[in-house]
Amino acid sequence: MSPKKGKSSKYVCIYTDGGPEKWAFVVVKQNKIIHEESGKYGISASTSNDDTESEGIIHAMQYAKNHPDNYILTTDSQAIIAKVNGNTANVTKNPNIRGIQTLLNDFKESHLPVSLCIKWEKRLSNEFMARADGLCRRK
């Protein structure tokens, strides 16, 4: 889904990550962090990075839903992108993809001037991806 065109061509960017037992996201507007959040999810013996990655995306999307704007959400998980797009080949666990898809549908059906697209970017490819990664690793 592409961001809707409006008066401004600037998008709010959200960078997400998941790590051992933790998820995080960083919200960036005009190259400045305006919000960040992280939390614990599951226990290490039964939680995969796909689980925590998808949990971070869900929390980020809920934030976006409550703060209408045009968003580009970036993840470093190709597996999550594939699952959201319906390709489950070569994926070992099944994170909460249904929750992500439900939230994406909410954005599509919204009558507000709001949109969200999800894209992949290489891990630690910029300072904001690195910040989300660091939030996942903090004790």
Side-chain angles (χ1 to χ4, degrees), residues 87-105:
N87 179 0
T88 57
N90 299 322
V91 180
T92 58
K93 296 238 178 185
N94 187 16
N96 192 356
I97 298 304
R98 189 173 302 136
I100 294 171
Q101 291 170 331
T102 297
L103 285 162
L104 279 173
N105 285 335

Side-chain angles (χ1 to χ4, degrees), residues 70-118:
N70 291 310
Y71 289 92
I72 297 175
L73 188 147
T74 303
T75 177
D76 64 1
S77 173
Q78 291 179 328
I80 296 297
I81 297 288
K83 288 178 186 181
V84 167
N85 291 327
N87 179 0
T88 57
N90 299 322
V91 180
T92 58
K93 296 238 178 185
N94 187 16
N96 192 356
I97 298 304
R98 189 173 302 136
I100 294 171
Q101 291 170 331
T102 297
L103 285 162
L104 279 173
N105 285 335
D106 288 350
F107 279 93
K108 286 178 188 173
E109 295 170 6
S110 175
H111 298 290
L112 298 171
V114 61
S115 63
L116 181 133
C117 67
I118 299 178

Side-chain angles (χ1 to χ4, degrees), residues 37-88:
E37 223 173 287
S38 64
K40 191 169 178 160
Y41 180 80
I43 54 175
S44 61
S46 64
T47 304
S48 73
N49 278 359
D50 280 356
D51 294 330
T52 55
E53 189 81 44
S54 63
E55 190 69 11
I57 291 170
I58 288 170
H59 282 273
M61 291 174 75
Q62 288 168 338
Y63 171 90
K65 188 176 174 182
N66 292 325
H67 300 86
D69 213 324
N70 291 310
Y71 289 92
I72 297 175
L73 188 147
T74 303
T75 177
D76 64 1
S77 173
Q78 291 179 328
I80 296 297
I81 297 288
K83 288 178 186 181
V84 167
N85 291 327
N87 179 0
T88 57

